[in-house]
């Protein structure tokens, strides 16, 4: 069975502080992992995919297969980063994404 | 937005009435999905489709049915709406060879 766990429902940080949103997964094979972001009442947008290893809006995420984690990090949080963040897993390209319950990030001035 | 349009965007309906939500895409992609989004639950898969007349159940399919008679349209029907189906419904597509999903704007459904 595949499962995605985001342990924090809400994460509040000050502007300029580092932020880390945790994501752990369980899957027996080699899944595809993603971070999606949802700004207030908007559609979900892809933030990162693990296969591309790129940085978007200053966010990075490293896949740790040993710890089965895919934590999202940013060294200096900005107020515009306040949003809902979802970690998602897919066994391969043809399959539906399985989402975690999401973490609401609040960046305060 | 990968050419995905959901309609209606908002709907209020009474318990026991049927409701159909539409997802329309302009690019003829095979893979389409319906999710519901609820606080504390994240997004949960309701039904999915791999092509015309090829649909299957997801994690939370009870009380929902789907139809896909044309590649571009994926319809989600609540045969008899209940208050527990008050939610935001998202349609998503996947493009062949691209691992991520692309989402519609969502439909906010309230069952009173």
């Amino acid at each position: 069975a595949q499962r995605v766990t985001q342990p924090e429902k809400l994460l509040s940080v000050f502007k300029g502080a580092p932020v880390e949103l945790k994501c752990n997964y369980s899957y027996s094979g080699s899944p595809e992992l993603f971070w999606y972001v949802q700004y207030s009442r908007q559609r979900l947008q892809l933030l990162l995919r693990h296969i591309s290893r790129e940085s978007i809006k200053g966010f990075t995420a490293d896949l740790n297969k040993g710890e089965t984690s895919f934590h999202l990090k940013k060294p200096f949080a900005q107020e515009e980063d306040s949003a809902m963040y979802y970690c998602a897993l897919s066994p391969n390209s043809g399959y539906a994404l399985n989402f975690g319950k999401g973490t609401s990030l609040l960046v305060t001035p | 937005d990968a050419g995905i349009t959901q309609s209606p965007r908002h709907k209020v309906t009474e318990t026991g009435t049927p409701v159909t939500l539409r997802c329309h895409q302009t690019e003829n992609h095979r893979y389409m999905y319906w999710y519901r989004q609820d606080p504390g639950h994240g997004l949960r898969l309701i039904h999915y489709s791999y092509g015309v007349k090829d649909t299957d159940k997801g994690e939370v399919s009870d009380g929902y049915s789907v139809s896909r008679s044309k590649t571009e349209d994926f319809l989600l029907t609540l045969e008899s709406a209940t208050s527990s189906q008050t939610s935001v419904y998202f349609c998503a597509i996947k493009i062949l060879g691209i691992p991520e999903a692309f989402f519609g704007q969502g439909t906010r459904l309230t069952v009173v």
Side-chain angles (χ1 to χ4, degrees), chain A residues 10-19 21 59 74 76-83 85 104-109:
Chain A
L10 173 65
L11 188 61
S12 183
V13 301
F14 288 110
K15 176 182 173 181
V19 62
L21 289 81
F59 285 97
K74 185 170 184 177
F76 307 104
Q78 302 300 313
E79 290 180 67
E80 55 265 30
D81 295 329
S82 295
Y85 291 81
S104 178
L105 175 64
L106 179 63
V107 181
T108 54

Short mmCIF file of all heavy atoms in Angstrom, two decimals, chain A residues 10-19 21 59 74 76-83 85 104-109:
data_model
loop_
_atom_site.label_atom_id
_atom_site.label_comp_id
_atom_site.label_asym_id
_atom_site.label_seq_id
_atom_site.Cartn_x
_atom_site.Cartn_y
_atom_site.Cartn_z
N LEU A 10 -0.25 22.53 10.64
CA LEU A 10 0.00 23.96 10.55
C LEU A 10 1.42 24.24 10.96
O LEU A 10 1.91 23.70 11.96
CB LEU A 10 -0.96 24.73 11.46
CG LEU A 10 -0.74 26.23 11.61
CD1 LEU A 10 -0.97 26.93 10.27
CD2 LEU A 10 -1.66 26.79 12.69
N LEU A 11 2.08 25.09 10.18
CA LEU A 11 3.44 25.50 10.50
C LEU A 11 3.50 27.02 10.39
O LEU A 11 3.16 27.58 9.35
CB LEU A 11 4.42 24.86 9.52
CG LEU A 11 5.91 25.02 9.79
CD1 LEU A 11 6.28 24.39 11.12
CD2 LEU A 11 6.73 24.39 8.67
N SER A 12 3.89 27.65 11.45
CA SER A 12 3.95 29.10 11.48
C SER A 12 5.40 29.54 11.69
O SER A 12 6.04 29.09 12.65
CB SER A 12 3.07 29.66 12.60
OG SER A 12 3.07 31.08 12.59
N VAL A 13 5.91 30.39 10.81
CA VAL A 13 7.28 30.88 10.92
C VAL A 13 7.29 32.38 10.67
O VAL A 13 6.37 32.93 10.06
CB VAL A 13 8.23 30.17 9.93
CG1 VAL A 13 8.25 28.68 10.17
CG2 VAL A 13 7.86 30.50 8.49
N PHE A 14 8.38 33.02 11.10
CA PHE A 14 8.54 34.43 10.83
C PHE A 14 9.22 34.63 9.48
O PHE A 14 10.00 33.79 9.02
CB PHE A 14 9.37 35.10 11.92
CG PHE A 14 8.63 35.25 13.23
CD1 PHE A 14 8.98 34.48 14.33
CD2 PHE A 14 7.58 36.15 13.36
CE1 PHE A 14 8.31 34.61 15.53
CE2 PHE A 14 6.90 36.28 14.54
CZ PHE A 14 7.26 35.50 15.63
N LYS A 15 8.91 35.74 8.87
CA LYS A 15 9.55 36.11 7.60
C LYS A 15 11.06 36.09 7.77
O LYS A 15 11.58 36.62 8.76
CB LYS A 15 9.09 37.50 7.19
CG LYS A 15 9.74 38.04 5.94
CD LYS A 15 9.24 39.45 5.65
CE LYS A 15 10.00 40.07 4.50
NZ LYS A 15 9.52 41.46 4.23
N GLY A 16 11.75 35.48 6.81
CA GLY A 16 13.19 35.39 6.86
C GLY A 16 13.73 34.17 7.57
O GLY A 16 14.93 33.87 7.47
N ALA A 17 12.88 33.45 8.25
CA ALA A 17 13.31 32.24 8.96
C ALA A 17 13.32 31.06 7.99
O ALA A 17 12.60 31.06 7.00
CB ALA A 17 12.37 31.96 10.12
N PRO A 18 14.13 30.04 8.32
CA PRO A 18 14.09 28.84 7.48
C PRO A 18 12.81 28.05 7.72
O PRO A 18 12.23 28.11 8.81
CB PRO A 18 15.32 28.05 7.94
CG PRO A 18 15.53 28.50 9.34
CD PRO A 18 15.10 29.93 9.40
N VAL A 19 12.40 27.35 6.70
CA VAL A 19 11.19 26.54 6.84
C VAL A 19 11.43 25.16 6.26
O VAL A 19 12.13 25.00 5.26
CB VAL A 19 9.98 27.22 6.15
CG1 VAL A 19 10.22 27.37 4.66
CG2 VAL A 19 8.70 26.46 6.40
N LEU A 21 9.01 21.69 5.57
CA LEU A 21 7.73 20.97 5.63
C LEU A 21 8.04 19.50 5.41
O LEU A 21 8.63 19.12 4.40
CB LEU A 21 6.75 21.46 4.56
CG LEU A 21 6.16 22.87 4.79
CD1 LEU A 21 7.13 23.95 4.33
CD2 LEU A 21 4.85 22.99 4.04
N PHE A 59 12.42 27.06 -3.11
CA PHE A 59 12.16 25.80 -2.43
C PHE A 59 12.97 24.67 -3.07
O PHE A 59 13.13 24.63 -4.29
CB PHE A 59 10.68 25.42 -2.51
CG PHE A 59 9.78 26.20 -1.61
CD1 PHE A 59 9.09 27.30 -2.07
CD2 PHE A 59 9.62 25.82 -0.28
CE1 PHE A 59 8.25 28.04 -1.25
CE2 PHE A 59 8.78 26.53 0.55
CZ PHE A 59 8.10 27.64 0.08
N LYS A 74 13.08 25.70 2.54
CA LYS A 74 13.41 27.02 2.00
C LYS A 74 14.21 27.76 3.07
O LYS A 74 13.80 27.80 4.23
CB LYS A 74 12.14 27.80 1.64
CG LYS A 74 12.43 29.14 0.97
CD LYS A 74 11.17 29.76 0.40
CE LYS A 74 11.51 31.06 -0.34
NZ LYS A 74 10.33 31.67 -0.98
N PHE A 76 14.87 31.01 3.54
CA PHE A 76 14.36 32.29 4.04
C PHE A 76 12.90 32.44 3.60
O PHE A 76 12.63 32.74 2.44
CB PHE A 76 15.19 33.45 3.51
CG PHE A 76 16.67 33.32 3.76
CD1 PHE A 76 17.52 32.96 2.73
CD2 PHE A 76 17.20 33.52 5.03
CE1 PHE A 76 18.87 32.81 2.95
CE2 PHE A 76 18.56 33.37 5.26
CZ PHE A 76 19.39 33.01 4.22
N ALA A 77 11.98 32.21 4.51
CA ALA A 77 10.56 32.26 4.16
C ALA A 77 10.10 33.69 3.86
O ALA A 77 10.57 34.66 4.48
CB ALA A 77 9.73 31.68 5.30
N GLN A 78 9.18 33.82 2.91
CA GLN A 78 8.58 35.09 2.55
C GLN A 78 7.08 35.04 2.84
O GLN A 78 6.47 33.96 2.84
CB GLN A 78 8.80 35.38 1.07
CG GLN A 78 10.26 35.40 0.65
CD GLN A 78 11.05 36.46 1.38
OE1 GLN A 78 10.60 37.60 1.49
NE2 GLN A 78 12.21 36.10 1.91
N GLU A 79 6.48 36.21 3.06
CA GLU A 79 5.05 36.23 3.38
C GLU A 79 4.21 35.60 2.26
O GLU A 79 3.20 34.95 2.53
CB GLU A 79 4.59 37.66 3.63
CG GLU A 79 5.14 38.24 4.93
CD GLU A 79 4.67 39.67 5.16
OE1 GLU A 79 3.46 39.85 5.38
OE2 GLU A 79 5.50 40.58 5.11
N GLU A 80 4.66 35.77 1.02
CA GLU A 80 3.89 35.21 -0.10
C GLU A 80 3.98 33.69 -0.19
O GLU A 80 3.30 33.08 -1.02
CB GLU A 80 4.36 35.83 -1.42
CG GLU A 80 5.84 35.70 -1.70
CD GLU A 80 6.61 36.95 -1.25
OE1 GLU A 80 6.17 37.61 -0.28
OE2 GLU A 80 7.65 37.23 -1.87
N ASP A 81 4.79 33.08 0.67
CA ASP A 81 4.85 31.63 0.73
C ASP A 81 3.70 31.04 1.54
O ASP A 81 3.51 29.82 1.55
CB ASP A 81 6.17 31.16 1.36
CG ASP A 81 7.38 31.53 0.52
OD1 ASP A 81 7.25 31.58 -0.72
OD2 ASP A 81 8.45 31.79 1.11
N SER A 82 2.96 31.89 2.22
CA SER A 82 1.82 31.40 3.00
C SER A 82 0.83 30.72 2.07
O SER A 82 0.30 31.33 1.13
CB SER A 82 1.14 32.56 3.73
OG SER A 82 2.01 33.12 4.69
N ALA A 83 0.56 29.45 2.33
CA ALA A 83 -0.28 28.65 1.44
C ALA A 83 -0.43 27.27 2.06
O ALA A 83 0.15 26.96 3.10
CB ALA A 83 0.33 28.54 0.06
N TYR A 85 0.37 23.33 1.47
CA TYR A 85 1.34 22.53 0.73
C TYR A 85 0.99 21.06 0.86
O TYR A 85 0.76 20.55 1.97
CB TYR A 85 2.76 22.79 1.27
CG TYR A 85 3.26 24.18 0.95
CD1 TYR A 85 2.88 25.27 1.72
CD2 TYR A 85 4.10 24.40 -0.14
CE1 TYR A 85 3.32 26.54 1.43
CE2 TYR A 85 4.55 25.66 -0.44
CZ TYR A 85 4.15 26.74 0.34
OH TYR A 85 4.60 28.00 0.03
N SER A 104 -0.48 23.57 6.29
CA SER A 104 -0.75 24.98 6.06
C SER A 104 0.43 25.79 6.59
O SER A 104 0.74 25.74 7.79
CB SER A 104 -2.03 25.40 6.79
OG SER A 104 -2.28 26.77 6.61
N LEU A 105 1.09 26.51 5.72
CA LEU A 105 2.23 27.33 6.10
C LEU A 105 1.80 28.78 6.25
O LEU A 105 1.20 29.35 5.33
CB LEU A 105 3.34 27.23 5.06
CG LEU A 105 4.56 28.13 5.27
CD1 LEU A 105 5.30 27.75 6.56
CD2 LEU A 105 5.50 28.08 4.08
N LEU A 106 2.10 29.35 7.39
CA LEU A 106 1.81 30.75 7.64
C LEU A 106 3.11 31.47 7.93
O LEU A 106 3.82 31.11 8.87
CB LEU A 106 0.85 30.89 8.82
CG LEU A 106 0.47 32.33 9.21
CD1 LEU A 106 -0.27 33.01 8.07
CD2 LEU A 106 -0.37 32.34 10.48
N VAL A 107 3.42 32.47 7.10
CA VAL A 107 4.64 33.25 7.30
C VAL A 107 4.22 34.63 7.77
O VAL A 107 3.51 35.35 7.06
CB VAL A 107 5.45 33.35 6.00
CG1 VAL A 107 6.73 34.16 6.26
CG2 VAL A 107 5.78 31.97 5.46
N THR A 108 4.64 34.98 8.98
CA THR A 108 4.22 36.24 9.57
C THR A 108 5.36 37.25 9.56
O THR A 108 6.53 36.87 9.67
CB THR A 108 3.73 36.03 11.00
OG1 THR A 108 4.76 35.35 11.76
CG2 THR A 108 2.48 35.18 11.02
N PRO A 109 5.03 38.54 9.43
CA PRO A 109 6.08 39.56 9.36
C PRO A 109 6.77 39.77 10.70
O PRO A 109 6.28 39.36 11.74
CB PRO A 109 5.30 40.81 8.94
CG PRO A 109 3.89 40.56 9.30
CD PRO A 109 3.69 39.07 9.24
#
